[in-house]
Amino acid sequence: MVILGLTGSIGMGKSTTSKIFAEAGAAVYDADAAVHALYAGKAVEPVRSAFPCAVKDGQIDREALGKIVLNDKAKMMFLESLIHPLVQEVETGFIQQAKNDRRKVVVLDVPLLFEVGKHMAVDAVVVVSAPYDVQRQRVLERPGMTEEKFAAIYAKQLNDAEKCKRAHFIIDTGRGIEPARRAVGAIMRAVSSIASRMV
């Protein structure tokens, strides 16, 4: 089995690319979805103990939690120490299930793959990219998005050029969905062939 790390900055088309990988037969783990599920499940009690104001109606209120930890590095680190082991547990279980199901390719869809060092734990990295003007236009079309919000998110992420430099594969979504689909197909054929030889 080959484990791919899939990442890309905001507005690059990572979610769409992730779906294309799933359609092509990869077992796709969505880190964001795992966190969302934990925020309504296993993470509620640990977070309630640390930040009681962040839990409303039996689940974690992301907005309230953000206000508490966003500009406080110590609180953010403490929150991460509570959440990361739970996320890792879900991810490990997902990979184990994929092994049991004899899947050839697992894709870990992790937005901050490089930033959290997760690229060290995968066999190869796929970066989803697009020209800056395409990225900016996509992001600003999102509900509630402003130039200021985009600038703040953009500043926190490793820049696209650096991500592409570190990638084993790059998918350019700026040219449309069909070229992206062909790129995913080529990657799947290459890594499936490697996975077959590993058995």
Side-chain angles (χ1 to χ4, degrees):
M1 189 171 80
V2 172
I3 300 176
L4 297 176
L6 177 69
T7 194
S9 301
I10 186 170
M12 291 302 194
K14 186 178 60 59
S15 298
T16 301
T17 305
S18 182
K19 285 180 189 135
I20 297 170
F21 267 108
E23 287 164 11
V28 177
Y29 168 82
D30 183 334
D32 274 352
V35 172
H36 274 282
L38 287 168
Y39 274 23
K42 267 191 173 181
V44 173
E45 287 314 313
V47 170
R48 193 201 304 274
S49 298
F51 311 108
C53 301
V55 175
K56 292 174 185 170
D57 303 321
Q59 58 182 19
I60 296 165
D61 181 321
R62 291 174 79 99
E63 199 175 324
L65 184 60
K67 284 177 184 165
I68 295 166
V69 302
L70 213 53
N71 296 311
D72 188 321
K73 201 170 180 183
K75 284 180 182 171
M76 178 64 90
M77 285 174 72
F78 184 60
L79 174 65
E80 287 171 352
S81 76
L82 298 175
I83 301 299
H84 283 179
L86 298 174
V87 173
Q88 190 57 54
E89 192 182 301
V90 176
E91 184 190 297
T92 302
F94 182 90
I95 293 169
Q96 188 54 53
Q97 188 58 55
K99 273 185 187 161
N100 295 347
D101 295 342
R102 298 183 181 280
R103 303 295 285 269
K104 286 184 180 176
V105 182
V106 169
V107 173
L108 303 181
D109 176 348
V110 182
L112 298 176
L113 187 87
F114 290 115
E115 290 86 342
V116 300
K118 180 62 75 177
H119 63 290
M120 306 293 285
V122 298
D123 298 311
V125 172
V126 181
V127 168
V128 182
S129 182
Y132 176 77
D133 57 334
V134 174
Q135 176 193 23
R136 182 178 169 278
Q137 184 184 339
R138 286 174 181 167
V139 176
L140 291 176
E141 282 170 0
R142 295 182 181 186
M145 186 56 70
T146 63
E147 288 275 9
E148 291 73 27
K149 275 189 193 173
F150 173 48
I153 295 166
Y154 188 81
K156 281 183 184 164
Q157 296 183 331
L158 187 68
N159 71 66
D160 183 55
E162 186 57 36
K163 281 179 179 161
C164 289
K165 246 194 270 182
R166 299 190 194 181
H168 298 89
F169 303 101
I170 298 167
I171 298 174
D172 179 1
T173 65
R175 294 179 299 134
I177 197 154
E178 284 312 316
R181 192 170 267 123
R182 287 195 293 275
V184 168
I187 293 167
M188 285 294 288
R189 285 191 294 278
V191 297
S192 294
S193 164
I194 293 164
S196 296
R197 293 199 295 273
M198 289 164 74
V199 175

